[in-house]
């Protein structure tokens, strides 16, 4: 087989079949059957989601586009309370992509899918010419089973609810940006990219009253909270000193002029929890290796707007991210 | 709003929200809820599929990338016998893409989804810089509900079965190629791109014994049949004169040195049917506006290999497409 991707690999013939066999099936296993679609066990209520990944560079400290594509979609399914089961994977490959690199990325997908307890049941590969894409884009879509009686909604936050975050914020975005641009920044920046399936189940078992969860990806913590507050018709008050941010992330953001509140995470969740379940929820998060640094960062209030009580004693309104703070971080 | 796509449109903030509202929600309607994933009604058995679309040019006679992205995924779901219900749509947009063009494409998606009876329940938009993608790529993934008791399989073809095709072949691939390259070819080339949901239901009601169906997309009729024959461990004998090919398609393929048997369709199906249901199946296809030119083109035999009885009385073995006959036709 050629060492790089050729246009032939996208044509649906013998070259495509070899690529599928030697890279995709080798890592991900055989699809349930050789059909246009895969038939799988469903459920009375299922969750569906989709995400395209265009992160640059393809590899960064803590992960690569393959791991990210699995974790990102698994987490979207988990955030609505579903149990992620099946993913599909669609690849757009640029002619000339080293097959060794693709192989490594698909191996990461397999490892992350296994860790998250999901199966990749359908795939698709397209190849475009040199200069018509930037190496590799991946779309993952997914299905999760909704347990009977579980209803979470972004519109259900109520005044008095506690706002929790499962760990330090801003790691993913800052790690990718520095991996891409360099800026001469040293330091222990590492993406938090990870699947949150098991953390979510631990949380929901301990605190079944959880109103809603979101993973603060593009736009970061601040944008996600403004969306939740708007959807519920409430406000939020946050305490800056309570928001966990790792020292290297804070330092990199200061150097780069970024606000870590708007920098993407890929392995954290925000949970809004009735106040009487806040302690048990926080305990459940902290008792799990993926949530050891969870924190209670604020509460829901009647007055609209998301406001940060700052370190210096001021009040800073947070609004949705307007422009391109960090292109291509997922 | 800007007339073209900016990197800001991909950042998950206010610019993204405006693009989603003014283009996607306007045509496709609101998603069921503002969450990371959509919760929808499922079923005990569901079909899942995914497809990425990179067709060039974005618009061609008979369709555009949006219509194609809906029809292609709907058809993959229909081919396994499921009833297509929900799609997701993931967009990778190149900075500078005219928003008017995106708008037109999304409007086509909405029209085709409506025609096919499916809802788009989740979406995602990423923007990459100029030169990092070729205008616009779309991934559509989908879920179909499997009716109780319906089991189709590519591995179930049996000697004696009839092979049907629902209409003329090669229209899509030749129309796209000529739209892209020109070659000075005039003539009535038009993609056959269309959703086949209702045609499939009409067929399966009339002929519940159908073994399997496939839509001959990349690799065309010949590649699809070699895959079916291999999956079932059988051979196939085809009659060249019985295979419907429109005159302009035949003429364009002759000029371009293409074999129409390997040129993609996007609105046709192949069905393998027990011989005692072949007539009723053909009648059902022909009675439907999407299958008016259906034909019986051959039969399944014990001896391995797919062989074409040619117009001139010879026997020509058909093998899987090897290389890049037509890049970026879907």
């Amino acid at each position: 087989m050629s060492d790089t991707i050729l246009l032939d690999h996208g044509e649906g013939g013998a070259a495509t079949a070899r690529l599928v066999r030697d890279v995709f099936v080798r890592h991900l296993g055989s699809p349930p059957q050789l059909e246009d679609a895969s038939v799988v066990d469903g459920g009375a209520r299922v969750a569906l989601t989709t995400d395209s990944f265009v992160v640059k560079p393809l590899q960064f400290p803590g992960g690569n586009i393959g791991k990210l594509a699995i974790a990102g979609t698994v987490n979207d399914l988990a955030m609505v309370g579903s149990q992620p089961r099946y993913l599909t994977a669609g690849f757009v490959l640029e002619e000339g992509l080293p097959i060794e690199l693709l192989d490594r990325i698909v191996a990461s997908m397999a490892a992350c899918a296994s860790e998250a307890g999901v199966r990749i049941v359908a795939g698709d590969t397209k190849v475009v010419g040199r200069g018509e894409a930037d190496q590799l884009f991946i779309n993952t879509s997914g299905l999760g089973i909704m347990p009977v009686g579980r209803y979470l909604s972004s519109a259900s936050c109520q005044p008095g609810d506690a706002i929790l975050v499962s760990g330090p914020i801003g790691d993913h975005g800052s790690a990718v940006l520095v991996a891409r641009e360099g800026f001469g920044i040293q330091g222990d920046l590492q993406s938090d990219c990870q699947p949150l399936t098991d953390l979510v189940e631990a949380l929901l078992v301990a605190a079944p009253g959880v109103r809603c969860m979101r993973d603060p990806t593009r736009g970061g913590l601040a944008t996600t909270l403004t969306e939740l507050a708007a959807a519920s018709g409430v406000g939020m008050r946050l305490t800056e000193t309570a928001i966990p941010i790792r020292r290297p992330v804070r330092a990199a953001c200061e150097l780069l002029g970024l606000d870590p509140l708007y920098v993407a995470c890929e392995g954290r969740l925000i949970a809004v929890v009735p106040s009487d379940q806040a302690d048990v929820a926080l305990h459940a998060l902290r008792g799990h290796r993926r949530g050891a640094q969870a924190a209670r960062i604020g509460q829901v209030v009647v007055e609209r707007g998301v406001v940060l009580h700052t370190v210096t004693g001021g009040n800073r309104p947070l609004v949705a991210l307007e422009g391109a703070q960090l292109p291509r971080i997922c």
Side-chain angles (χ1 to χ4, degrees), chain A:
Chain A
M1 190 164 79
S2 158
D3 288 343
T4 62
I5 292 293
L6 310 173
L7 284 172
D8 283 2
H9 286 124
E11 295 314 299
T16 303
R18 282 197 300 274
L19 180 72
V20 167
R21 183 194 64 205
D22 294 347
V23 177
F24 298 113
V25 172
R26 188 161 67 82
H27 291 300
L28 304 175
S30 291
Q33 59 264 19
L34 175 78
E35 307 288 351
D36 285 327
S38 271
V39 178
V40 298
D41 290 336
R45 289 163 67 231
V46 298
L48 295 178
T49 191
T50 190
D51 221 337
S52 295
F53 295 86
V54 299
V55 65
K56 182 179 183 176
L58 295 179
Q59 301 178 92
F60 45 83
N64 62 34
I65 190 173
K67 180 183 180 187
L68 180 62
I70 301 296
T73 292
V74 161
N75 291 347
D76 280 347
L77 291 172
M79 289 307 108
V80 300
S82 78
Q83 292 159 345
R85 288 285 167 79
Y86 307 108
L87 300 190
T88 64
F91 295 83
V92 175
L93 309 177
E94 184 188 11
E95 184 185 13
L97 180 77
I99 294 202
E100 181 278 332
L101 176 59
L102 176 63
D103 191 79
R104 203 145 16 102
I105 288 166
V106 177
S108 293
M109 295 178 75
C112 190
S114 168
E115 190 179 342
V118 295
R119 264 201 312 149
I120 297 169
V121 296
D124 178 62
T125 305
K126 294 285 160 37
V127 178
V128 299
R130 283 174 199 271
E132 297 177 337
D134 194 1
Q135 294 196 285
L136 167 61
F137 303 142
I138 303 177
N139 175 284
T140 45
S141 301
L143 179 147
I145 307 287
M146 287 300 295
V148 173
R150 187 177 287 176
Y151 293 90
L152 303 177
S153 165
S154 294
S156 65
C157 304
Q158 294 179 23
D161 288 350
I163 302 165
L164 312 182
V165 64
S166 67
I169 62 166
D171 294 71
H172 176 76
S174 55
V176 169
L177 187 65
V178 169
R180 181 164 72 215
E181 310 286 356
F183 301 119
I185 293 178
Q186 307 289 327
D188 182 27
L189 287 170
Q190 181 141 332
S191 169
D192 55 312
C193 172
Q194 61 177 338
L196 296 174
T197 327
D198 48 3
L199 182 66
V200 165
E201 285 304 313
L203 172 63
L204 292 179
V205 165
V210 166
R211 310 278 192 206
C212 62
M213 296 175 288
R214 290 286 289 272
D215 57 336
T217 55
R218 281 186 293 181
L221 180 77
T223 301
T224 305
L225 289 179
T226 60
E227 289 174 3
L228 285 182
S232 291
V234 296
M236 293 179 176
R237 298 295 174 265
L238 307 177
T239 304
E240 186 170 21
T241 52
I243 300 172
I245 303 174
R246 293 175 63 240
R247 191 185 304 265
V249 171
R250 195 182 296 279
C253 286
E254 274 173 18
L255 275 167
L256 301 171
L258 295 174
D259 183 342
L261 296 177
Y262 288 90
V263 176
C265 311
E266 289 289 349
R268 306 297 178 216
L269 66 84
I270 298 165
V272 179
V273 187
S275 60
D276 62 352
Q277 293 187 18
D279 287 341
V280 68
L282 190 58
H283 187 74
L285 291 172
R286 285 185 176 161
H288 195 284
R289 69 190 167 94
R290 300 191 202 273
Q293 296 177 73
R296 181 172 180 163
I297 60 171
Q299 68 172 336
V300 178
V301 296
V302 172
E303 302 88 326
R304 300 296 181 90
V306 177
V307 176
L308 182 74
H309 295 297
T310 67
V311 180
T312 56
N315 285 321
R316 176 187 159 205
L318 300 179
V319 294
L321 181 66
E322 176 60 28
Q325 197 190 24
L326 292 175
R328 296 189 61 182
I329 50 85
C330 61

